[in-house]
Amino acid sequence: MLNNFKLGTKIIAIVLCCVFLVIFFLTLIVSYQSYQVLSKEAHLLIANATARNVNKVEGYVNQVSETTEFAVNRLSAALERGELSQRELLDVLEALSGSSKFIEYAYIVLPNSQSYIARDGVGETMDNHLKNILNQNANNNDDKMLISKPFNVQIKDKNIFTINFSFNILNSHKQKMGTLGILYNIQALSEDLLHSRRSIFEGDRRFLMTQDGVIFLHSNEEFVGKNLKDINTDERGQNILNASINNERGIYAYDYLDDEYMAGVQPFKIANSNSIFTMVTLAPTKSIYQPFYNLLLGIIITSLVSLLVVIVTILYYVKFHITRRIVNVSEHLYSFFKYINFESDQLPANLKPRANDEI
């Protein structure tokens, strides 16, 4: 096919094809390497961000756990000695309720006596209805802290979504004398954990759930209190739930409503208990790979501009430094042969060499 083209066109076409192939494979290699590096760094970034969030939550939860355990040990010793008055009991409860912003309420349930509840350092008698609800979410036989499932409870005409952290008050014979617990302030935890300063990618999300998948902290309140398996029924959602149940840390692909995410999953054990929470960090893949798309676009534009510059340069050089010289030589030879064949009586002027090459 090239045999039908002019010499200049052939040169341009061959050089252009070679340059195009070189740029194409160079772009392909650079893009692939950039994608791999970006993907690896994104995995590390999401894993580290999830770990940082876990450390924060562990600190907030363990702070409450340690404070509550200290109060339980104090009450256990005093109750066993029979030295604890109602006022002293309320003092311990009120001090506990005001010790942390993550404590919504602190309470004590005594089987054969009145039960009390306190908030922000102010205590009062607990009604029987609330006492029955808290007893349903309390531990009966263990000396470790029990962490209940997330639940709704109404206190003083206010509906609270909370988690019950409770210790048994035991005597030296491991006999139960009562229950001391707190209702965790999930709202305060949400304000800290879901703050924009914890974002690592545009449009990312974080949520906290129990080991079996009940979400109790999420930026979308519609998901709070629901199980992950009911929200996302596909295989990728199940993979995250399985990782939580099996206490496995990792990075998983996740999608919801046609949006694809990279999910960092890290279960962690709560101190003084047998309970496990799971932190999940979701980063949209379109945000993760946006720098790659920008880089690829830049490479493509640069490659096209480079091809254009190469075409113009070769076209100019071939036309003015090769083709024109060949035409001049051809015309000169044509005139010369006309002269020696007596077709013309005028001798053509001599051509001046313009370069030391074949032409």
Side-chain angles (χ1 to χ4, degrees):
M1 184 177 65
L2 288 176
N3 293 332
N4 298 322
F5 293 139
K6 294 181 178 180
L7 178 61
T9 304
K10 293 178 182 180
I11 296 174
I12 293 174
I14 293 173
V15 173
L16 183 61
C17 287
C18 293
V19 173
F20 174 80
L21 289 176
V22 170
I23 293 178
F24 174 78
F25 284 108
L26 182 62
T27 301
L28 194 65
I29 293 172
V30 172
S31 300
Y32 176 78
Q33 294 294 335
S34 301
Y35 181 88
Q36 294 296 320
V37 171
L38 184 60
S39 179
K40 181 179 179 180
E41 292 300 319
H43 277 71
L44 292 175
L45 185 58
I46 294 172
N48 291 336
T50 305
R52 286 196 302 269
N53 293 331
V54 166
N55 290 337
K56 280 291 184 182
V57 175
E58 281 184 318
Y60 296 149
V61 173
N62 292 342
Q63 171 193 1
V64 172
S65 170
E66 296 294 339
T67 305
T68 306
E69 185 180 29
F70 176 79
V72 166
N73 293 335
R74 179 181 172 184
L75 289 175
S76 296
L79 284 173
E80 188 170 9
R81 293 193 305 266
E83 298 176 353
L84 188 66
S85 66
Q86 178 179 335
R87 183 63 260 171
E88 289 172 328
L89 188 150
L90 279 173
D91 286 343
V92 173
L93 195 63
E94 290 172 351
L96 177 61
S97 68
S99 63
S100 173
K101 68 177 181 178
F102 298 108
I103 297 178
E104 186 85 24
Y105 284 93
Y107 69 89
I108 185 170
V109 175
L110 301 174
N112 301 318
S113 180
Q114 286 186 325
S115 299
Y116 302 93
I117 190 168
R119 181 182 186 185
D120 295 330
V122 179
E124 60 182 278
T125 303
M126 185 191 304
D127 62 66
N128 289 329
H129 176 68
L130 179 58
K131 180 178 179 179
N132 292 333
I133 293 176
L134 295 179
N135 273 332
Q136 293 174 4
N137 290 279
N139 194 5
N140 292 320
N141 303 310
D142 202 343
D143 58 353
K144 289 189 175 183
M145 181 176 67
L146 171 75
I147 301 178
S148 71
K149 300 293 184 183
F151 67 100
N152 286 288
V153 62
Q154 190 165 350
I155 303 177
K156 291 184 177 181
D157 300 324
K158 180 181 179 182
N159 189 56
I160 300 172
F161 182 74
T162 185
I163 298 177
N164 185 21
F165 290 31
S166 61
F167 281 96
N168 286 326
I169 303 173
L170 305 174
N171 60 21
S172 58
H173 302 290
K174 300 298 181 180
Q175 294 172 335
K176 181 177 178 180
M177 295 183 292
T179 302
L180 178 69
I182 63 98
L183 300 181
Y184 201 85
N185 190 344
I186 296 178
Q187 182 60 35
L189 183 61
S190 298
E191 291 174 358
D192 184 278
L193 193 64
L194 301 180
H195 196 277
S196 58
R197 69 175 181 275
R198 301 201 181 280
S199 294
I200 53 175
F201 293 102
E202 182 180 356
D204 65 357
R205 298 181 179 184
R206 296 163 297 287
F207 65 86
L208 199 59
M209 64 182 184
T210 61
Q211 187 176 18
D212 58 356
V214 179
I215 298 172
F216 61 89
L217 190 152
H218 198 289
S219 56
N220 189 339
E221 294 185 358
E222 295 180 359
F223 297 157
V224 174
K226 297 181 180 179
N227 197 294
L228 180 62
K229 66 181 179 182
D230 299 323
I231 299 173
N232 193 328
T233 58
D234 66 12
E235 182 180 355
R236 292 184 171 182
Q238 188 63 41
N239 289 339
I240 293 179
L241 183 58
N242 290 337
S244 176
I245 293 174
N246 297 324
N247 195 18
E248 295 176 350
R249 176 181 178 179
I251 305 294
Y252 300 87
Y254 182 79
D255 55 62
Y256 182 74
L257 297 179
D258 298 328
D259 292 326
E260 294 186 351
Y261 298 88
M262 192 179 291
V265 180
Q266 183 171 340
F268 59 98
K269 191 175 182 294
I270 305 302
N272 300 322
S273 76
N274 295 318
S275 297
I276 290 177
F277 289 164
T278 299
M279 172 64 66
V280 181
T281 302
L282 300 178
T285 53
K286 61 182 179 182
S287 296
I288 293 174
Y289 293 114
Q290 188 60 47
F292 168 73
Y293 300 143
N294 294 338
L295 174 63
L296 184 60
L297 179 61
I299 292 175
I300 292 174
I301 293 176
T302 303
S303 299
L304 292 177
V305 172
S306 300
L307 282 175
L308 182 61
V309 171
V310 169
I311 291 173
V312 172
T313 303
I314 294 176
L315 181 63
Y316 175 84
Y317 184 81
V318 168
K319 181 175 181 180
F320 292 97
H321 294 273
I322 297 180
T323 305
R324 177 170 295 181
R325 291 170 61 198
I326 293 176
V327 170
N328 290 338
V329 170
S330 176
E331 290 178 349
H332 181 80
L333 291 175
Y334 182 73
S335 299
F336 177 73
F337 285 117
K338 287 181 65 177
Y339 175 77
I340 64 175
N341 289 327
F342 303 102
E343 296 179 9
S344 172
D345 58 357
Q346 186 175 359
L347 181 67
N350 293 331
L351 287 177
K352 294 182 178 180
R354 296 177 58 185
N356 296 320
D357 53 22
E358 291 83 352
I359 297 178

